[in-house]
């Protein structure tokens, strides 16, 4: 959300670091402005409703397995697969809010995360109850970048050539 002067309307100089936008929140997480609270409520409600709808779809799939009379082993296997993948997806998504995920690991887990999508939706719901998902990580990185910028741009006072030399 930059204006024509190149500033983002947040703390920092025009040439300083810019906050990284979050999905559904943009850069409103920096100052909690421009409908941040209503966005959090909307994200929480949307992720919970999507998880509930997904569970209904999974229930229909389960009933389809029962109608197909595929056997108890296949039914237990499918239910266990969705439960385990959802638990792993929840944990992976939750951990991703606190630290940057490894791209190679994410690529290898893509199938598992797709199967356990309900877990990811629930992690998104629970995190959005306290903050924008990923806000803590982005805030730490942004504040560290601001500190580095301030340290680089602070000016020394006085003439260094007139400074007394230590013997």
């Amino acid at each position: 959300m930059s204006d024509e002067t190149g500033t983002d309307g947040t703390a920092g100089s025009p040439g300083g670091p810019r906050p990284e936008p979050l999905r559904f929140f943009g850069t409103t997480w920096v100052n909690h402005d421009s409908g941040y609270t209503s966005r959090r409520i909307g994200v929480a409600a949307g992720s919970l409703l999507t998880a509930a709808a997904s569970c209904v779809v999974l229930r229909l799939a389960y009933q389809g397995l029962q109608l197909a009379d595929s056997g108890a082993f296949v039914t237990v296997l499918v239910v266990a697969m969705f439960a385990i993948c959802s638990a792993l997806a929840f944990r992976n998504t939750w951990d991703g809010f606190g630290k940057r995920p490894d791209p190679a690991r994410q690529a290898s887990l893509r199938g598992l995360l797709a199967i356990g999508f309900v877990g990811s939706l629930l992690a998104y719901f629970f995190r959005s109850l306290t903050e924008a998902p990923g806000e803590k990580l982005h805030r730490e990185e942004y504040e560290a970048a601001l500190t580095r910028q301030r340290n680089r741009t602070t000016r020394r006072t006085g003439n260094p050539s007139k400074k007394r030399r230590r013997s």
Side-chain angles (χ1 to χ4, degrees):
M1 299 208 191
S2 298
D3 59 14
E4 56 277 352
T5 61
T7 61
D8 56 18
T10 60
S13 61
R18 296 181 139 187
E20 188 176 339
L22 292 173
R23 181 182 297 159
F24 304 121
F25 293 92
T27 57
T28 61
W29 60 268
V30 176
N31 296 323
H32 293 184
D33 57 356
S34 301
Y36 171 81
T37 305
S38 60
R39 289 178 191 215
R40 263 193 39 216
I41 292 168
V43 165
S47 60
L48 186 62
L49 287 174
T50 306
S54 300
C55 288
V56 169
V57 170
L58 290 176
R59 173 72 180 164
L60 293 174
Y62 175 78
Q63 288 176 341
L65 282 175
Q66 286 183 327
L67 286 175
D69 198 27
S70 58
F73 177 72
V74 172
T75 304
V76 169
L77 195 64
V78 168
V79 169
M81 175 195 62
F82 274 107
I84 292 169
C85 289
S86 290
L88 291 172
F90 179 92
R91 182 62 182 193
N92 186 59
T93 304
W94 190 265
D95 288 344
F97 295 141
K99 64 181 188 287
R100 294 275 178 185
D102 178 31
R105 184 172 184 265
Q106 286 296 105
S108 68
L109 292 176
R110 188 168 290 136
L112 181 133
L113 295 176
I115 294 169
F117 61 96
V118 175
S120 292
L121 289 169
L122 290 175
Y124 214 80
F125 166 72
F126 286 119
R127 181 56 74 143
S128 62
L129 293 177
T130 58
E131 67 176 9
E135 177 181 347
K136 182 179 178 184
L137 171 67
H138 285 74
R139 186 170 302 282
E140 288 171 356
E141 291 174 351
Y142 179 60
E143 287 176 357
L146 283 175
T147 301
R148 284 191 305 272
Q149 174 72 16
R150 269 189 239 110
N151 290 342
R152 277 194 309 268
T153 59
T154 53
R155 307 261 183 227
R156 293 185 296 201
T157 58
N159 186 350
S161 65
K162 292 183 179 180
K163 199 174 192 182
R164 289 188 197 178
R165 302 281 180 210
R166 293 186 185 192
S167 306

